[in-house]
Amino acid sequence: MFILTIRNILIFLVFSQFAFGQTASISGSVSENGAVLPFVNLILKETNKGTASDQNGYFQFKNLAKGNYVIMATAIGFEPYQKTITLSEGQNLLVKIEMTAAAEALDEMVVTGTLKAVNRMESPVPVEVYSPTFLKQNPTANVFEALQNVNGVRPQINCNVCNTGDIHINGLEGPYTLVLIDGMPIVSGLGTVYGLSGIPNSLIDQIEIVKGPASTLYGSEAVGGLINIITKHAPEAPNFFVDTFGSSWGEFNLDVGTKFSVGKKTDALLGVNYFRYDNPIDNNNDNITDLTLQDRISIFQKWNLKRKNSRLFAVAGRFFYEDRWGGELQWTPKFRGGNEVYGESIYTRRWEVIGKYQLPTKEKMLLSVSYNSHHQNSVYGDIPYIADQRIGFGQLTWDKTLGKHDFLLGAAIRYNYYDDNTPATANLEDEVSIPSVFVQDELKFNSKHSLLGGLRYDYDSRHGSIFTPRGAYRYKLTDNDILRLNFGTGFRVVNLFTEDHAALTGARDVIIAEELEPERSVNFNVNYLKKIYANNGTFISFDASAFYTRFSNQILPDYDTNPNQIIYDNLKGKSVSQGISANFDLVFPNGIKFLIGATYQDVTNTENGITQEQILTESFTGTWNLSYTIRSLNLSLDYTGNLYGPMRLPLLGELDPRSEFSPTWSIQNIQFTYKGIPNFEFYGGVKNLLDWTPNRGNPFIIARANDPFDRNVQFNASGNVVPTADNPFALTFDPSYVYGPNQGIRAFFGLRYSVF
């Protein structure tokens, strides 16, 4: 009996050991865009088993029997993740969980609206925020192109040949938009389009957009709105990353970067962007390149120094060089500046430095400085345009809270220098320093009501004292309903010396008909935000605004009164931009997401009782983004697009046969992204699915493309073009009739690799 019992025990132990040896397990990691996510809750549905990812994003379920399981991961600010898996006996299954930020994550921190970090929902100034995920949904070689899918924001191409451009917000021209990098106004005037090129998208933490005047905090040029590109801090960036793609047109883009430490107190971030396009294409058969050829490199580096009490000390720098040209297909560099073959060739060299230093005082005081130098060597046919622009900026702010008052006091100085080879600066460079002081107070009555007021004083030696007040009121009706009212004034000290002077023959005189006053604006904005959380996990967000901006003293150049002069004076009337804008965000628990935006606007200029629609300003816009993730296949789909209503176009005269108004047009894109291999993402798709280009419905886009040097154009004694058999429409060569990209349908493919 004893022997039998021993035998039974031995058999039991053997089978038990065998059984325990055959139990299965599930382990893996949780991440978002390659970054590990700690403390994510994980459960196996319909079991009592649960765990959480550790500080390295790792998790494990042990001692599982074979069978089917549903693993679910949840975390605040992220969409729930769910996947069905099958375990075999004794299997150790590895699962990689990729979380997606929830669309309802409206509580991110923003800094642009009030110059201090605040919760977006608590900000009295409406700020739109776009994450790196937004940039990935329609990959582009620069931020300038990426903004085409932001509601109410339109990248405007100003030249069919050289493809330079600017950013329009709510229908206002590019000079009224201030572009910031890490809160510093280093991009303006001559360098706007270049400042938005060459920053690796992988180094961008978020893009903040404020629509409406922000001159109280940011000074001149922040009249129509501002765009703040905020770069990552080194600890948040990947250890190494590569993002590269190419298109069927022959475009090639490469982003590569890394982070490293120098000692124990210094972290550094390094990124390089390289873009090349050297494949002349002429699909509209006018012998002019449809897309400017480019060879561009940008090097960006950012240093963060660790200090006591977590005080901020960061320094960043960027170097940018670009060689771009467009023109007749037979153009080569040997024709540069000559009159045999027409080409527009632009060499750009630019460097920037930014610094932020929190003073070692008990009070919260921040010193911010920036400086940039922009040199441009351009030729437009046989007309040279050589320009230098330097901008320096320094600002000291004091952030102080007293009771219910949250004060921000500041002093700033801005230095502008500009010189070119045109008659505009023949006798004197444009050089000025503008000191400023400003104060802002946000009074929080209670959790529902807050009131913000601000005032800025600038002194310009050319224009004297300039005051710009602002006000904002936030009413939190419920936790999911917010009403904002904003009032602001803006001013812009106009730099008359822009790249438009490249169109001069060199013989025109610049005439300032009167003492020019700064352009001034008054803006009103009403914003309403509504969030809805359904019981089934569906999320809905509705964000709507009504805006009104009125300009006075607007400065416009007069090329027509005297063909030998450019006459500048202030507009004797008004310019008005008004309209409504709305964004609708819808997220389903199955992974389908919709983001739809629409803007209707009316932008007019009135002088001498005559009101006219502003040129190159669309009457309505629409943007959309449809995303769907098939989690079982690690595959996501993004369908993005925009829609633009008619806009008045620049004709050359009454005989010009081109359409006075553009049609309603749309650019649409589709992309597929596969994330089934650790650290890798493969993506590809088609851009401009409809193959739309501006030449549809027009006899030509570029006037006199067959005679770019106007050799066969005849003028009368007054300097006006005379119709001839060779020139029946009385035109001169002109590439400015442009309202959209001239690049047709194309396929693209790319990959991303990140190591954290």
Side-chain angles (χ1 to χ4, degrees), residues 44 92 94 102 132 142 150 160 175 194 213 225 244 293 305 319 345 379 395 462 475 516 554 557 576 578 639 644 732:
L44 297 179
N92 296 313
L94 182 65
N142 55 62
V150 176
N160 267 309
Y194 304 102
T244 182
L293 284 77
L305 285 78
F319 173 78
S345 171
V379 292
Q395 178 174 273
R462 301 164 296 182
Y475 175 33
L516 297 178
Q554 193 169 29
V576 173
Q578 57 188 340
Y639 171 50
Y644 296 106
T732 58

Side-chain angles (χ1 to χ4, degrees), residues 47 77 96 119 142 144 175-176 187 212 245 293 357 404 416 451 477 486 529 602 611 635 677 703:
T47 74
K96 181 182 179 182
N119 184 293
N142 55 62
F144 178 81
Y176 299 105
V187 180
F245 71 84
L293 284 77
Y357 178 75
K404 295 183 177 181
N416 291 326
L451 181 66
L477 290 81
N486 275 252
L529 173 64
D602 179 27
T611 298
L635 185 68
I677 302 177

Side-chain angles (χ1 to χ4, degrees), residues 24-26 43-47 49 61-72 82-88 93:
S25 66
I26 301 172
I43 62 170
L44 297 179
K45 296 183 70 173
E46 300 181 0
T47 74
K49 294 185 177 296
F61 292 94
K62 299 179 180 179
N63 301 328
L64 300 176
K66 69 176 182 178
N68 295 324
Y69 293 89
V70 177
I71 186 171
M72 185 171 183
Q82 185 171 296
K83 184 177 183 179
T84 301
I85 56 179
T86 300
L87 277 179
S88 302
L93 184 64

Side-chain angles (χ1 to χ4, degrees), residues 101-174:
E104 65 267 30
L106 297 173
D107 296 332
E108 59 266 87
M109 303 300 287
V110 296
V111 298
T112 306
T114 58
L115 260 185
K116 57 175 68 180
V118 296
N119 184 293
R120 183 184 173 195
M121 294 293 291
E122 300 299 320
S123 172
V125 178
V127 181
E128 296 183 14
V129 179
Y130 297 89
S131 68
T133 301
F134 171 83
L135 299 175
K136 291 181 178 181
Q137 290 168 340
N138 180 33
T140 61
N142 55 62
V143 178
F144 178 81
E145 295 178 35
L147 294 174
Q148 65 183 287
N149 288 326
V150 176
N151 182 29
V153 177
R154 183 170 70 87
Q156 167 66 38
I157 298 174
N158 294 327
C159 175
N160 267 309
V161 179
C162 64
N163 286 170
T164 55
D166 52 39
I167 301 294
H168 292 199
I169 294 181
N170 288 344
L172 299 178
E173 292 287 341

Side-chain angles (χ1 to χ4, degrees), residues 23 57 60 191 195 327 361 378 460 493 571 670:
T23 58
Q60 186 176 36
T361 60
S378 310
D460 189 319
V493 178
L571 179 71
I670 192 167

Side-chain angles (χ1 to χ4, degrees), residues 413-416 431-435 459-462:
I413 186 167
R414 177 170 175 146
Y415 168 77
N416 291 326
E431 186 174 19
V432 66
S433 296
I434 304 176
Y459 179 76
D460 189 319
S461 58
R462 301 164 296 182

